[in-house]
Amino acid sequence: MSFPSFFTLLLHFFFISASGFGSMGPISAAFGENGFFCAIDASGKQEVICWTKNTTLPSTPPSTSSAYFSDIPAMAALSGGEGFLCGILANSSQAFCWSSGGLDLVPSVYRNTAYSHIAAGKNHVCAIRGSYYSSHDSGSVDCWKIVKGGNNSLTSVQSSNFYDQSVGNLVFSKVASGEGFSCGRVRDGGVVCWGPNSASLGVSKVSGNYVALASGVSALCGILEESNEVDCWGSSNDSFSSSPVGTRFVSLTAGANHFCGIREDNHAIECWGSFNLSSVPKGGYGFMAIASSDFTTCGIRENDLVIDCWFTNGTSPPEYNPPLELCSPGLCGPGPCSDGEFVFNASILNEPDLTSLCVRKDLNICSQCGSNCSQGFFLSSPCNENADRVCTDCSLCQNSSCRDVCGIQSSAKKKQWFHFSTFHILIILGCFVLVILFILFCCFIRCCLIATRKEEGSKKQFTSCIGKSELETDNASDLYQPPSTAPCPGVAQVFRLSELKDATNGFKEFNELGRGSYGFVYKAVLVDGTPVAVKRANAATIIHSNSRDFEMELEVLCNARHSNIVNLLGYCSEMGERLLVYEYMPHGTLHDHLHNELSPLNWSLRLRISLQAAKGLEYLHKEAEPPIVHGNVKTSNILLDADWGARIADFGLITSNDKDCCGDMKTDVYDFGIILLEILTGRKKYDRDYTPPSIVEWAVPLIKQGKAAAVIDQDATLPKNFEPLLKLVEIANLAVKEDPKDRPTMSDLATWLEQIVKDAL
């Protein structure tokens, strides 16, 4: 291998997001009783966010013991030891360490030195000299010790225990640290270990090139360059004796008694050692980076950059409740990405002002391509230099390219197609002829109706938000031309069909956000970069409704504007298509977060979502003109916007002119009561895995028996102030009363929930 290509390979491996004890990455953890997690955020400023047990830091007021977290400067990379965290400063490449007892745990002799790599062990730190963002990514190593003083405070000192002449003469490109030892990848090849406990690993030097290293307390694992498989050394107990064979990895992390890695193919998590297998995420999504503390592992999910944490010892619930923040998927670095990588594009985060996740425009984040998808998903788009592969739920599989992967059509069924008897063929041909005759009959009836209306010559006009008469709306010609006037001038706009086809990649299935009785909903990006959701009516909807119905729907939708509903942006009624363009909600549905293993919602956010959803329904019932009954209130119709605000979606067209409108509104109240129960319990509306399966039949008897606390979700970390949750249980109970007359109005619910949110602050 020539020097330039070898150097490029080193540069590529340097920015792999291997994080955890003794490693370096965009997310890391401090071990021990005073442990905490930190991650580099996705704001483009490389700021650091931290969280400890059930708390996001910094806490308020700033005079509290955790105020030190508010003084952390921007970081290029992070690495954690026991009770402290270290990093490389984004602006100067200098080392910076901190703990709960103070800042800057770097000896004064090293504070002005630039470093390209840093690794914190249990009570020591080693760092490789060199500028972090320069083309030179290898150098000599400096090490110092972290000493525990009075009141468990930490200080730093120079130490010869972690340094000898043989190490001083070597040039390293990577380093990892454990308990009393450090190991580094030597620039000329192989891994060398040193320190007072290095003999416990059983090796002093390892041949072969390793692209990522992670240290446990007394063990070391590395990803071999040639195969991307894992080798491990050190602790001989059962905790590390079952490392995977034949699995290719791109990243590693280590806890007290376990290792975890990100698989190369589907970016799923695979762990070995002493851990709870059931706790490892299996939601169909992968991870960009992971880090471990003693028994907890947290990762940055690839589909939305949200932090997800899980417990790995199987004996206690998760201790760490991460903030709902978007975090950097990798380390910012110079130069182009290598083969098998893609440049992470900040535009997918739907933040208009965010063009890069790095502090400098010449930097980018190179992330490892995925080549496959998890079970239940199919590969709808391969990875390229600008984007990772796209995985789509098998429920959206509509062609032969994904049926084999999803197991929708077996080989036997495919063969059976070619063994139809003559009788079967005649039946199919007969059905086809009947369908043709039925279509011709419908066309004849329609022509007769149009001719009759023209003869009647009715001049009655109807003024709607698109300015057409009643006669004009039934004219067949408007199936091919968009209305001339936009509804709600200045708010909604008329789109050309060609625009929306381009924005949705031709309505491809991998752009689908969901589907329902009306049709399909697609994610789209307009020519100006605005992300939107496009709702496309299916053939059945168009056949069973006329253009007058579509105008009535537009009339209602364009007049409904509120911060807690999904607002209409525009529409298209060209070439027989009926498309509605809405605001895009990047965080998906409430149902997905409660039941489909998306990021868990803490209680503060659950209460806020309850209030905002109530306000959205209150607007439809009380303030919309005319008042609107939703008619389909459920968690999948509550969407979450970029700020995690709740928005009501997919409301119907039942207005105050319809019969028994008040009774219908009380049905909305009942359905909203079920949503409150789902938020409180974490259970689905109807689940056969429980007895009784109905959430109302299960929860209401417990509430009547004075056991309200028994229905509250025990998998979510409970807040210190428990009283607001009990009040929420009472409100949900009122909303699901059997007699509609006993149920409150949505205005009542909104008022009560507003007070609960205030009490919970």
Side-chain angles (χ1 to χ4, degrees), residues 147-179:
V147 180
K148 185 177 293 186
N151 299 322
N152 291 324
S153 62
L154 299 178
T155 58
S156 62
V157 296
Q158 287 182 264
S159 175
S160 59
N161 291 337
F162 294 94
Y163 190 86
D164 56 48
Q165 190 61 39
S166 61
V167 173
N169 293 330
L170 296 176
V171 177
F172 295 94
S173 61
K174 190 176 296 295
V175 64
S177 300
E179 182 175 359

Side-chain angles (χ1 to χ4, degrees), residues 620-642:
L620 296 177
H621 286 191
K622 187 177 180 181
E623 300 176 37
E625 185 59 43
I628 300 170
V629 176
H630 190 291
N632 194 21
V633 178
K634 54 186 178 181
T635 52
S636 58
N637 281 336
I638 297 179
L639 307 186
L640 302 176
D641 62 22

Side-chain angles (χ1 to χ4, degrees), residues 1 4-19 23-26 77 116-118 128 132 135 137-138 172-175 185-187 189-190 208-214 222-229 248-252 264 330-341 366-369:
M1 180 182 295
S5 60
F6 177 74
F7 170 76
T8 302
L9 189 63
L10 281 178
L11 187 65
H12 157 49
F13 291 138
F14 174 71
F15 290 107
I16 283 183
S17 299
S19 46
S23 305
M24 186 179 79
S116 63
H117 202 97
I118 193 166
I128 299 172
Y132 181 82
S135 58
D137 69 337
S138 57
F172 295 94
S173 61
K174 190 176 296 295
V175 64
R185 170 177 165 155
V186 183
R187 184 179 61 182
N209 291 322
Y210 290 85
V211 300
L213 298 172
I223 299 176
L224 190 62
E225 176 185 322
E226 290 78 10
S227 64
N228 275 35
E229 295 183 17
R248 296 170 64 91
F249 290 92
V250 297
S251 182
L252 292 176
E264 181 187 64
L331 300 177
C332 295
C337 296
S338 302
D339 292 340
E341 293 184 326
C366 293
S367 299
Q368 188 75 28
C369 283

Side-chain angles (χ1 to χ4, degrees), residues 541-614:
T541 300
I542 296 174
I543 290 173
H544 290 95
S545 63
N546 55 38
S547 54
R548 176 74 184 97
D549 296 329
F550 186 56
E551 288 186 3
M552 290 181 62
E553 183 172 8
L554 285 175
E555 180 73 19
V556 173
L557 294 175
C558 68
N559 288 327
R561 322 295 299 180
H562 191 267
S563 59
N564 294 124
I565 68 173
V566 180
N567 294 300
L568 181 74
L569 299 179
Y571 70 98
C572 173
S573 60
E574 192 177 335
M575 299 299 293
E577 293 274 5
R578 293 179 188 168
L579 302 115
L580 300 174
V581 181
Y582 289 93
E583 298 170 302
Y584 175 63
M585 301 290 111
H587 288 304
T589 71
L590 176 61
H591 183 277
D592 289 336
H593 288 275
L594 289 176
H595 308 308
N596 286 352
E597 298 185 1
L598 286 188
S599 59
L601 304 173
N602 59 36
W603 285 110
S604 176
L605 188 53
R606 293 192 197 195
L607 291 176
R608 191 179 68 169
I609 289 172
S610 301
L611 170 61
Q612 292 171 338

